[in-house]
Amino acid sequence: MTSSSAASGYTHEARFFLLALAFAAMSISPDSRAGEPVRQAPADPRIASFKERIDFDRKIGYENASELVVIDPAAMDTPPQLRSWSKSTRDLMTESGMRYIRMLFELGEQEVRIVLRVYDPRRNSAGEDLLNKANAVNTMTINDVPGPADLGTVSLRSPETPPWRVYWIFRNVFAEVTVYRTSISSIDIARLIQAELARNVRTQDKIEAELPLGSDMSGMREKQAVGQ
């Protein structure tokens, strides 16, 4: 599904997600950490060793669960390197409440893929998914290495130079950029996407202030229940 901008600056899907975030944010203690779901991951020695190597727990401790990313892909700036490329967007909400946004840019055989997984803060598994992504290799050790320090809260990249993939977490978002058959830098694109995410951070108060007029939270809960 390709989204289009509404007059208010949010698509219908983005408005519904904003409502969902507001409802979820009301049940979150400001003292809670966005990294809590990660602690529910299996105590795998390989993952534990990797977390220590990338200083995962300390970095995730700085996340602020009261600050959330609410983003409309139709309103995002296209990276200047990709403005002449064809673009297709997929934007959907999963049953678990995660918003999946995929932007695919193509020029001949060249491809750049940007994926954003925007989580319901009550079930924010961004950090856990980052670890699972790193662990999903059939090698003796996890080969992905820390990415740029200025990219999100925790970032990783594939080990070759230049890396074909970079992925990171920021607030309630797990983001990933992959490049194929192109000299365009995955890290350059990732930094531009991170800037977009940072511009779209909302606090709980701001989320509630931006709810569409006449929003009915009970109605929103009913829509969630039937999967609309």
Side-chain angles (χ1 to χ4, degrees), residues 87-105:
K87 175 186 177 183
S88 60
T89 301
R90 187 180 185 191
D91 183 2
L92 57 87
M93 187 79 75
T94 68
E95 291 182 359
S96 66
M98 180 195 74
R99 187 176 183 188
Y100 175 87
I101 301 168
R102 189 204 69 182
M103 291 167 280
L104 177 63
F105 295 86

Side-chain angles (χ1 to χ4, degrees), residues 201-220:
V201 168
R202 306 279 196 285
T203 62
Q204 179 178 338
D205 290 344
K206 189 169 179 62
I207 289 173
E208 293 173 356
E210 291 184 354
L211 288 174
L213 293 176
S215 299
D216 182 349
M217 299 307 296
S218 61
M220 184 274 295

Side-chain angles (χ1 to χ4, degrees), residues 111-151:
E111 292 184 11
V112 174
R113 183 174 302 167
I114 300 165
V115 174
L116 305 176
R117 294 174 175 86
V118 187
Y119 294 89
D120 181 325
R122 293 168 299 177
R123 295 180 292 275
N124 182 9
S125 57
E128 184 176 350
D129 281 356
L130 176 130
L131 294 173
N132 289 337
K133 171 73 73 172
N135 195 40
V137 292
N138 296 320
T139 56
M140 291 295 294
T141 59
I142 297 174
N143 295 325
D144 286 352
V145 297
D150 62 345
L151 185 58

Side-chain angles (χ1 to χ4, degrees), residues 40-103:
Q40 300 172 8
D44 185 324
R46 178 164 128 135
I47 292 180
S49 175
F50 183 68
K51 287 173 65 177
E52 183 176 358
R53 177 156 64 91
I54 65 174
D55 201 15
F56 181 87
D57 288 331
R58 184 186 66 82
K59 291 177 179 177
I60 201 71
Y62 286 109
E63 280 287 11
N64 186 343
S66 67
E67 292 183 347
L68 309 169
V69 175
V70 181
I71 196 160
D72 176 6
M76 293 175 62
D77 289 337
T78 297
Q81 305 95 314
L82 304 175
R83 285 176 185 163
S84 63
W85 295 35
S86 65
K87 175 186 177 183
S88 60
T89 301
R90 187 180 185 191
D91 183 2
L92 57 87
M93 187 79 75
T94 68
E95 291 182 359
S96 66
M98 180 195 74
R99 187 176 183 188
Y100 175 87
I101 301 168
R102 189 204 69 182
M103 291 167 280

Side-chain angles (χ1 to χ4, degrees), residues 143-158:
N143 295 325
D144 286 352
V145 297
D150 62 345
L151 185 58
T153 304
V154 180
S155 66
L156 297 169
R157 62 176 179 82
S158 52

